[in-house]
Amino acid sequence: MRNRILEKIGKFNNIAIVGFGKEGKSTYNFIRSKYKDLKLTLIDKINPKEIIPELENDKYIDTCYGDNYLDNLDRFDLIFKSPGVSFKDLDRDGLSKKITSQIEMVLEEIRDRVVAVTGSKGKSTTASLIYHLLKEQGVKACLVGNIGVPVFDEVDSYSEDTIVVMETSCNQLEFVDVSPHIGVIVNIFQDHLDTIGTLDRYEKAKMNMFRFQKDGDYGVYDLDNETINRCLKDMNILSKLYSVSLSDKADCYLEDGKIYLDNNYLIDSLDIKRNILGEHNLKNIMISLKVIALLGYDVSKATYDISTFKGLEHRMEFVGVFKDIKFYNDTIATIPEATINACNTIDSLDTLIFGGQDRGIDYSEMIDYLNKSSISNFICMPTTGFKLAELLDDTKHNVYKIESLEDAVKVAYQVTEKGKSCLLSPAAASYESFKNFEEKGKKYKEYIELYK
């Protein structure tokens, strides 16, 4: 498959790689594995040669960088767009047919063996769980995409008996015109409006998971999500769609605590031993079980294998008990709905730390939730936390405006009642002060250790 993709790429003479982060570097290395003298233009806000000084030895590259690095993209015949680059302010009409990505090129080759997962929240957990359940059944599988492994990096392992599980973001789906054999949309909430531009674009990008599916393909989605249901009404989907619900009859649903799959009793949800807590993770489990069923594997065994799935770092991660306080790290929660889910899940929650980059998301539901909650302490951090602090009821709760994460942890140790819990769940992106949510989560854990 490597050679087939490279042959496609080799037909173009004027190629741009936009964004020279992890995926951009992967694309460059992939192309150079065959074409040592193919002209490439590397485009990023930062000079790519500063990122990788060895590029000075490549005589067949041009670079374009600086504040206006996205100008004049129409001069290229093929544009590899990395997911971290925003095209929200560009005129897309003349560009869309030229834009491609690693995910699109791999889907064009092996879509029949791909299970792809997207969603505003829960996509990493769900994709990882599906992969875990497949591996536990002895299935040859790989996990790639937005999870942190560029799909070109694993291309040589995609044999004919490999199931490729892809986690896909809205930025990876926005310009594709091919969908996977099995597509999953975990949920859709407001998110990434700072990079994709509008809510309409965001929703359409997510729905590309089903949009280009064919007769004989499958889609799995959350019946309880109003946005998905609204979007589906305006689409002519050719694939067979299956729904999952915690409250209504669906292809996989919960009734009186019992899980039913295709109208047959499967298991009592209380009998599933799981390390990923909360109703939202129960739904992620049910979605994964439906996918296992669609692939034709042993669903009963999968219900047992859930117990060996440990969950992912920074996702309602239990850090430990320090000074008789239970600390949890949930920096992946970058939207209000995720933070509300975490608050509903953590036992004896006494202190919530939240706040981050303002991306224009509506926080009215979260404000209402927090004001009605029994959480004693709100530690609010810039920028969104400071804005929400003005709307929180300080007659019923202790509201602290704290500038740094380090100081937030210090305050948490001081105010959290012994025997209860402290949760970091930002409900906002981390980019304002950190490189990403992973860096923020690691720093949080470092500060917990430092002041224990």
mmCIF file of all heavy atoms in Angstrom, residues 92 115 214 397:
data_model
loop_
_atom_site.group_PDB
_atom_site.id
_atom_site.type_symbol
_atom_site.label_atom_id
_atom_site.label_comp_id
_atom_site.label_asym_id
_atom_site.label_seq_id
_atom_site.Cartn_x
_atom_site.Cartn_y
_atom_site.Cartn_z
ATOM 1 N N ARG A 92 -12.042 28.785 0.672
ATOM 2 C CA ARG A 92 -11.871 27.349 0.474
ATOM 3 C C ARG A 92 -12.315 26.870 -0.899
ATOM 4 O O ARG A 92 -11.965 25.765 -1.312
ATOM 5 C CB ARG A 92 -12.684 26.589 1.540
ATOM 6 C CG ARG A 92 -12.216 26.890 2.965
ATOM 7 C CD ARG A 92 -13.409 26.898 3.899
ATOM 8 N NE ARG A 92 -12.981 27.131 5.272
ATOM 9 C CZ ARG A 92 -12.907 26.178 6.186
ATOM 10 N NH1 ARG A 92 -13.233 24.959 5.890
ATOM 11 N NH2 ARG A 92 -12.513 26.457 7.394
ATOM 12 N N VAL A 115 -12.227 1.083 10.982
ATOM 13 C CA VAL A 115 -13.217 1.555 11.947
ATOM 14 C C VAL A 115 -12.736 2.929 12.392
ATOM 15 O O VAL A 115 -11.664 3.042 13.003
ATOM 16 C CB VAL A 115 -13.335 0.629 13.168
ATOM 17 C CG1 VAL A 115 -14.323 1.205 14.180
ATOM 18 C CG2 VAL A 115 -13.744 -0.771 12.746
ATOM 19 N N LYS A 214 -21.077 4.041 1.846
ATOM 20 C CA LYS A 214 -21.775 3.377 0.748
ATOM 21 C C LYS A 214 -22.764 2.352 1.292
ATOM 22 O O LYS A 214 -22.762 2.020 2.473
ATOM 23 C CB LYS A 214 -20.749 2.680 -0.151
ATOM 24 C CG LYS A 214 -19.668 3.592 -0.699
ATOM 25 C CD LYS A 214 -18.597 2.790 -1.431
ATOM 26 C CE LYS A 214 -17.466 3.672 -1.922
ATOM 27 N NZ LYS A 214 -16.405 2.885 -2.605
ATOM 28 N N HIS A 397 -21.086 29.058 47.481
ATOM 29 C CA HIS A 397 -19.832 28.392 47.143
ATOM 30 C C HIS A 397 -18.668 29.346 47.398
ATOM 31 O O HIS A 397 -18.813 30.564 47.338
ATOM 32 C CB HIS A 397 -19.815 27.975 45.665
ATOM 33 C CG HIS A 397 -21.056 27.301 45.198
ATOM 34 N ND1 HIS A 397 -21.253 25.943 45.279
ATOM 35 C CD2 HIS A 397 -22.185 27.805 44.634
ATOM 36 C CE1 HIS A 397 -22.438 25.634 44.784
ATOM 37 N NE2 HIS A 397 -23.025 26.749 44.386
#
